[in-house]
Amino acid sequence: MTTACSDRRIPDNSTLARRQFIKASAMAMATTMAAGKATGALPILPAATVVSETSLDVVWNKAPCRFCGTGCHVQVGVQNGRVVAIAGDRDAEVNKGLLCVKGYHVGGILYGQDRLTHPLLKVGDHYRKITWDEAIDVIADRIMAAPSRFAFYGSGQWTIPEGYAAQKFMKGGLGNNHIDPNARLCMASAVTGFLATYGVDEPAGCYDDLDHCDVLIMWGNNPAEMHPVLFSRVTDRRLRGEQVLMIDIGTRRTRTTEKCQHYLEMKGHGDLAIANGIAHQLIKNKTYNRQFVEKYCNFKAPDDANPNLHGRTITFEEYQKLLEPYTPEYVQQVAGVHAEQIVMLGELFGNPNLRITSLWCMGMNQHTRGTAINNLVHGIHLLSGHFGRPGDAPTSLTGQPSACGTVREVGTLAHGLPGGLVVSNPQHRAEAERIWNLPAGRINPNPGYHTVLMWEKFCTPSDQGGDIDTIWVQVTNPGQSLPNLNKLFRPKADLKEKFLIVSEVYPTATTQLADLILPSAMWVEKNGMFGNSERRTQQWFKMVEPAGEARDDCWQTIAVARRLFDRGLDGMKDRDGRFIFDVRDQDGNVVAVWDWEHYYNVNVDEFLFNEYRAFSRFKHKDLAPYAEYVKARGLRWPVLEVDGHWRETKFRFVEGADPYVATGKGIQFYHSSTNDDRAQIWFHPWEPPAETPCDEFPLYLTTGRVLEHWHTGTMTRRIPQLSRAMPGAYLEIHPEDARQAGISSGDMVDVESRRGTIRLPAWISGRGYPPQGTVFVPFFDEMHLINDLTLDAHDPFSKEPDYKKSAVRIKKASGQ
Amino acid sequence: MISSLLVQFSPHADQASVLQMLADHPQIDVGTQVPSGTLPVVIEAEHRGELNGLHDWIASLPGVAAVEVVMVYFDSQNATQ
Ligand code: SF4
């Protein structure tokens, strides 16, 4: 037992008052939480009252949460140069003062004991501390030796200015286009789904839909754990007595299922058949919205001879014919759900008086037919006319805080340019070269390598076609998050000609193979901007100094660019011979921002963002000036100035709500790929997954996340409260599968796929409930790398791999 | 450091004696139990090691099924100790 120490410090009066106050706040939070449990609410906590307390010498400032794509705002309390408290931000529309358990502990991510604090160069089998100057030279040497064989790998955790700097450095500077983010692994299929349907990326609606829908359908989505604050917006409405019908379509029961009135347990890829089954019902019952379809939609089917995102145009009659096989009975057969459930969904979509919101995230995106299922869900909303009213929309969610802002909008994908432009389009390249003041022809027209291909090339010997020699990783952990790690990451260990640079905050599975490790500043140790899942751009200021010699990722990129400029690399010069990051102060003088001593002499974020803004107008994703985001808790684009005020847009393509819709149009898909203001309703056939269980590997493995840990757990596992609540990965298994294998809860189990094996403890009837024939393993635990087993097969358009359907076998570990 | 916790009792726990032990501890404040049987408590410690020790002690009390952390307030120097 721990006892009170006899030599405890005697606190003075002000300290005592402060402690009493904090204890009272802590008790209030715990009591609210306990009361929430009693009514079956989610682990969402109300805003701490500490925000209103000003007598504690704690300075409070706003920032978005560092974790998920919900984009909750927190108030960060800083005292004596350290983050000492976190509270939900009551002025934030997204979360209205609420935070999930991860958000409440977000301040702790800065203070893990093993922060990386010095640049480290691998020499033989150990690491040597080097100076930043030496580190920048090492990177410059690698790039100068082979600029076309260098790649940059980032993420949706890059801030918008960081991603923009990396994008300009690669596409405007080096011109090899080998830049891609880890968001390729989580939401690329949503992008191709939006593009193929509306001709432009990102949701038409926003989180307000959750406040207005009558029916919420979650497609392979577990927001109760992954986006808990958003989910609570709906469950809270029900607690207030509102009627909201919640439907979970998934491959395992989760905490989300517990709150839903209906659960459709489908087989992997069953979603394709379910969506087609709903469309079939709408047409058979003549309950589709004929007027909406005739006014605003075309029909498309895949062009098998020339697969692309435009497909081939078909008539309504052809569409109807293609759907004929998808009777409720056939859908039951291939998807595993009950025929009556398809009839029920058909009736709901056929009811024009309801408002229906569809939500999805990884379940539909990490799918070898990810583009197709995204198209189909948009399609049933369009076919039924459940589009264009608050609460009536298909809305995708993202897992990372700036997957939308940095990846989709800044365009840090191998084919993209900022603002939704693409490198393969000559006009787009010309526009980018104009804004960046580059000589004509600087931007390479060939897309670079997407994530899977980039890492495959890096892990292939240089003399065998492996033409990526150096990768610089920032703000992500591919050594844990890539699929099929034994193919896409681990071979690097034996390839001496390959060089891995990793900018990181903590040691990770990726730094284990790094040749050069750069310590990075994180979250409120730097200025930043994120863009969340609802098109909301958010801004924050640096509040504390980074640990040791850690520095901003954006500075690192600019410093390397400058070193290359100084060495005479033409790509780092603009048309007038000036450095491509020509940052000026208010008087027009060049600021040496490549020198860390001067980096914060000006606001580099503001400079980069205001330059980037010029791109945002091409696809009507207009952003306001930086200063507007300083004042707001984020603004949803397009943001236009109306009567001297910057006005955000809640619902796109709808007259009255979207300023780009012409008067009298009602709904106008003004980026239509058919140039007729119409969206495309696609037919795609049901197809089985890339890998299905067989005699040798009889179970499906699906992977995902848990409430307590974010992504690969490198931050949340360093927070004791979260780590203790969920200490390690486990194998979730159905009781009958466990019984047949002689496995009890807690037994160690060997899980094996065609690609690898890991050993994990079993958890029967644990957090989630997989059906017989399916097992689930979360991916947050670097001690149990489930991606040793997953498949790298990917969607042909989005190139996003399927982490949800690998065939495995299990065996109780020997020696038990 | 200050942390608030939720203490869950097992169905047949002798809650009265556990409540007494918690109330007697000088570093623990006991809140009002809600009908579900969940008890909010606040603990105060000098450093993380002590906080962990208190947490583990509560978790080890007879009849305590689980202890969940709600929030932690970490003072300047002691956060990573
Ligand atoms: S993790 Fe996501 S839901 Fe939780 S507080 Fe942060 S942004 Fe909000």
Side-chain angles (χ1 to χ4, degrees):
Chain A
M1 169 182 168
T2 305
T3 55
C5 305
S6 55
D7 62 345
R8 293 173 74 77
R9 287 197 307 259
I10 311 287
D12 61 30
N13 277 348
S14 67
T15 308
L16 205 59
R18 182 166 141 257
R19 279 194 181 166
Q20 288 305 337
F21 179 78
I22 296 163
K23 284 171 81 170
S25 300
M27 184 63 85
M29 261 194 243
T31 304
T32 312
M33 180 93 164
K37 275 178 173 288
T39 55
L42 287 159
I44 304 294
L45 312 176
T49 48
V50 286
V51 180
S52 59
E53 178 60 46
T54 53
S55 62
L56 303 178
D57 297 334
V58 176
V59 176
W60 295 90
N61 213 332
K62 61 150 189 162
C65 171
R66 173 63 180 78
F67 298 126
C68 85
T70 299
C72 299
H73 260 91
V74 297
Q75 283 286 329
V76 183
V78 174
Q79 188 181 40
N80 300 328
R82 284 180 71 96
V83 174
V84 295
I86 296 294
D89 190 335
R90 283 172 293 193
D91 294 335
E93 262 185 280
V94 170
N95 52 310
K96 302 178 173 78
L98 301 178
L99 294 174
C100 79
V101 286
K102 289 190 293 293
Y104 258 105
H105 291 104
V106 65
I109 62 176
L110 303 177
Y111 302 120
Q113 285 181 323
D114 55 344
R115 276 293 295 263
L116 294 165
T117 52
H118 293 90
L120 300 168
L121 181 68
K122 193 167 190 183
V123 182
D125 58 359
H126 68 282
Y127 285 95
R128 180 168 67 82
K129 272 186 197 173
I130 59 171
T131 64
W132 270 107
D133 201 47
E134 289 171 300
I136 301 299
D137 262 336
V138 170
I139 302 173
D141 289 346
R142 290 293 304 187
I143 295 173
M144 290 298 279
S148 64
R149 299 169 78 94
F150 172 82
F152 214 150
Y153 187 64
S155 85
Q157 299 159 68
W158 256 336
T159 68
I160 290 170
E162 284 169 354
Y164 179 73
Q167 170 82 313
K168 188 175 181 183
F169 171 70
M170 291 298 289
K171 293 184 177 139
L174 294 184
N176 75 14
N177 296 344
H178 294 319
I179 176 172
D180 217 42
N182 72 345
R184 176 76 71 180
L185 308 174
C186 65
M187 50 92 248
S189 301
V191 176
T192 45
F194 280 109
L195 287 173
T197 304
Y198 309 104
V200 67
D201 187 24
E202 296 199 42
C206 63
Y207 298 161
D208 295 34
D209 288 321
L210 300 171
D211 305 330
H212 299 286
C213 62
D214 303 304
V215 181
L216 179 67
I217 305 177
M218 286 146 289
W219 297 78
N221 191 205
N222 179 12
E225 289 200 75
M226 309 320 156
H227 299 86
V229 168
L230 290 184
F231 195 61
S232 76
R233 274 168 87 147
V234 186
T235 51
D236 285 356
R237 285 179 60 201
R238 293 221 324 227
L239 286 174
R240 292 196 299 268
E242 291 184 44
Q243 301 291 318
V244 189
L245 186 68
M246 294 168 70
I247 301 171
D248 179 21
I249 303 175
T251 54
R252 68 188 248 275
R253 284 179 174 273
T254 65
R255 284 188 171 180
T256 298
T257 321
E258 290 168 21
K259 299 280 181 277
C260 291
Q261 291 95 329
H262 297 282
Y263 173 52
L264 280 71
E265 190 163 272
M266 65 169 187
K267 297 178 192 168
H269 276 204
D271 42 11
L272 295 161
I274 293 168
N276 280 341
I278 295 168
H280 173 269
Q281 288 286 295
L282 290 168
I283 291 177
K284 183 180 122 273
N285 299 334
K286 297 192 170 42
T287 49
Y288 70 97
N289 189 328
R290 187 171 174 165
Q291 198 187 9
F292 187 98
V293 169
E294 286 181 355
K295 254 175 121 172
Y296 304 125
C297 304
N298 297 313
F299 291 93
K300 293 274 185 163
D303 180 352
D304 294 330
N306 176 30
N308 61 63
L309 289 180
H310 294 285
R312 62 188 172 87
T313 301
I314 55 173
T315 62
F316 174 75
E317 288 70 29
E318 286 172 284
Y319 175 72
Q320 185 174 11
K321 182 100 186 127
L322 287 165
L323 285 171
E324 260 172 25
Y326 292 89
T327 62
E329 293 70 29
Y330 176 67
V331 176
Q332 174 169 324
Q333 187 190 325
V334 296
V337 297
H338 296 297
E340 313 86 74
Q341 294 177 308
I342 299 302
V343 173
M344 173 199 67
L345 287 172
E347 285 171 357
L348 291 172
F349 274 97
N351 183 346
N353 299 319
L354 294 174
R355 295 184 181 218
I356 303 178
T357 293
S358 286
L359 278 190
W360 69 95
C361 198
M362 301 305 142
M364 269 175 43
N365 295 343
Q366 293 179 337
H367 196 302
T368 51
R369 287 289 172 272
T371 306
I373 182 59
N374 272 266
N375 286 159
L376 294 180
V377 171
H378 291 300
I380 53 177
H381 275 267
L382 294 166
L383 185 66
S384 59
H386 283 290
F387 187 96
R389 296 181 301 176
D392 229 9
T395 292
S396 66
L397 300 174
T398 57
Q400 297 183 86
S402 199
C404 285
T406 305
V407 174
R408 295 161 80 160
E409 292 152 33
V410 176
T412 52
L413 293 147
H415 65 282
L417 287 166
L421 309 185
V422 292
V423 296
S424 55
N425 183 318
Q427 284 172 329
H428 291 186
R429 292 197 303 278
E431 290 290 1
E433 285 162 354
R434 179 183 61 76
I435 293 170
W436 285 342
N437 192 37
L438 301 176
R442 166 73 65 78
I443 297 172
N444 187 330
N446 302 313
Y449 290 145
H450 60 81
T451 294
V452 171
L453 197 53
M454 180 191 289
W455 288 95
E456 196 175 325
K457 294 286 186 184
F458 186 63
C459 288
T460 301
S462 299
D463 58 4
Q464 293 172 30
D467 59 2
I468 294 295
D469 292 343
T470 303
I471 296 185
W472 185 359
V473 175
Q474 287 190 341
V475 285
T476 187
N477 184 13
Q480 187 168 343
S481 59
L482 285 167
N484 198 357
L485 289 166
N486 290 317
K487 174 182 172 188
L488 296 180
F489 187 69
R490 231 164 258 131
K492 189 271 167 201
D494 300 321
L495 298 174
K496 298 304 165 211
E497 73 275 26
K498 306 286 177 163
F499 197 83
L500 182 60
I501 304 159
V502 183
S503 298
E504 249 304 352
V505 172
Y506 291 111
T508 64
T510 308
T511 60
Q512 279 177 17
L513 292 193
D515 298 286
L516 177 64
I517 300 171
L518 304 173
S520 286
M522 76 185 305
W523 193 46
V524 295
E525 292 173 343
K526 59 188 180 185
N527 289 340
M529 300 185 85
F530 282 158
N532 79 353
S533 300
E534 61 162 353
R535 297 177 278 107
R536 184 184 291 275
T537 310
Q538 305 156 302
Q539 177 278 347
W540 75 94
F541 285 123
K542 174 177 175 171
M543 299 177 204
V544 295
E545 288 299 322
E549 292 183 19
R551 295 181 184 178
D552 301 29
D553 294 280
C554 193
W555 173 82
Q556 295 174 29
T557 303
I558 292 173
V560 169
R562 183 66 190 197
R563 191 63 49 94
L564 296 172
F565 175 89
D566 290 341
R567 291 187 185 190
L569 191 74
D570 275 346
M572 297 301 138
K573 296 175 188 157
D574 71 8
R575 197 161 35 201
D576 303 316
R578 289 186 305 223
F579 182 38
I580 57 172
F581 296 104
D582 186 42
V583 180
R584 307 261 167 166
D585 63 17
Q586 282 179 334
D587 301 326
N589 301 313
V590 174
V591 182
V593 292
W594 53 88
D595 180 350
W596 179 244
E597 299 306 314
H598 298 295
Y599 186 68
Y600 274 95
N601 285 5
V602 286
N603 186 340
V604 175
D605 270 25
E606 181 169 14
F607 174 85
L608 293 173
F609 184 80
N610 284 339
E611 180 182 289
Y612 157 58
R613 255 188 90 211
F615 285 94
S616 69
R617 303 197 185 101
F618 293 114
K619 298 279 180 180
H620 302 93
K621 300 181 178 186
D622 306 54
L623 297 166
Y626 179 88
E628 295 304 313
Y629 298 96
V630 174
K631 291 183 258 176
R633 300 297 195 270
L635 294 168
R636 286 165 283 196
W637 58 257
V639 188
L640 275 86
E641 194 174 15
V642 181
D643 300 330
H645 297 286
W646 291 91
R647 206 191 86 166
E648 62 171 354
T649 302
K650 291 185 180 179
F651 303 100
R652 291 161 86 200
F653 311 129
V654 180
E655 187 176 345
D658 181 341
Y660 283 116
V661 173
T663 306
K665 285 278 186 182
I667 285 178
Q668 185 181 13
F669 297 107
Y670 45 76
H671 278 291
S672 167
S673 57
T674 38
N675 298 317
D676 54 4
D677 290 341
R678 289 165 178 261
Q680 319 302 324
I681 297 177
W682 282 77
F683 169 79
H684 289 279
W686 171 83
E687 288 176 43
E691 190 171 74
T692 50
C694 57
D695 289 347
E696 211 185 340
F697 296 96
L699 301 171
Y700 260 130
L701 164 72
T702 184
T703 69
R705 293 169 286 171
V706 294
L707 171 71
E708 295 83 356
H709 291 295
W710 191 75
H711 222 242
T712 58
T714 53
M715 294 181 281
T716 48
R717 290 188 82 226
R718 285 176 169 84
I719 298 172
Q721 293 76 15
L722 297 176
S723 195
R724 201 180 293 119
M726 181 55 78
Y730 51 86
L731 176 81
E732 212 172 78
I733 182 171
H734 188 275
E736 184 54 28
D737 288 330
R739 192 190 63 74
Q740 286 178 16
I743 292 166
S744 305
S745 260
D747 284 349
M748 295 305 288
V749 179
D750 289 328
V751 188
E752 185 182 0
S753 77
R754 291 181 176 88
R755 296 156 293 280
T757 308
I758 62 166
R759 183 169 288 188
L760 290 157
W763 194 4
I764 303 166
S765 302
R767 168 87 45 106
Y769 304 91
Q772 203 172 346
T774 296
V775 293
F776 168 84
V777 178
F779 78 102
F780 69 85
D781 183 356
E782 75 175 24
M783 306 309 289
H784 299 98
L785 294 176
I786 192 58
N787 283 322
D788 284 349
L789 276 63
T790 49
L791 199 61
D792 57 315
H794 47 268
D795 178 90
F797 303 107
S798 69
K799 316 296 183 194
E800 179 166 347
D802 189 333
Y803 289 83
K804 305 290 188 187
K805 301 164 212 93
S806 305
V808 297
R809 61 186 168 214
I810 57 168
K811 192 173 68 171
K812 185 172 171 179
S814 54
Q816 293 191 79
Chain B
M1 300 182 79
I2 292 168
S3 178
S4 49
L5 309 173
L6 296 183
V7 179
Q8 310 262 27
F9 293 104
S10 36
H12 305 295
D14 177 3
Q15 293 190 17
S17 52
V18 176
L19 280 169
Q20 193 59 51
M21 290 165 86
L22 291 171
D24 287 347
H25 197 290
Q27 289 168 270
I28 298 176
D29 285 353
V30 177
T32 310
Q33 196 166 3
V34 301
S36 67
T38 305
L39 177 73
V41 302
V42 170
I43 59 179
E44 189 175 4
E46 284 290 314
H47 52 76
R48 181 168 284 175
E50 193 179 41
L51 200 68
N52 291 349
L54 278 164
H55 181 284
D56 294 346
W57 175 71
I58 297 172
S60 71
L61 292 175
V64 171
V67 180
E68 290 180 64
V69 179
V70 175
M71 72 86 82
V72 64
Y73 181 96
F74 40 98
D75 275 315
S76 47
Q77 316 84 358
N78 53 20
T80 56
Q81 284 171 15

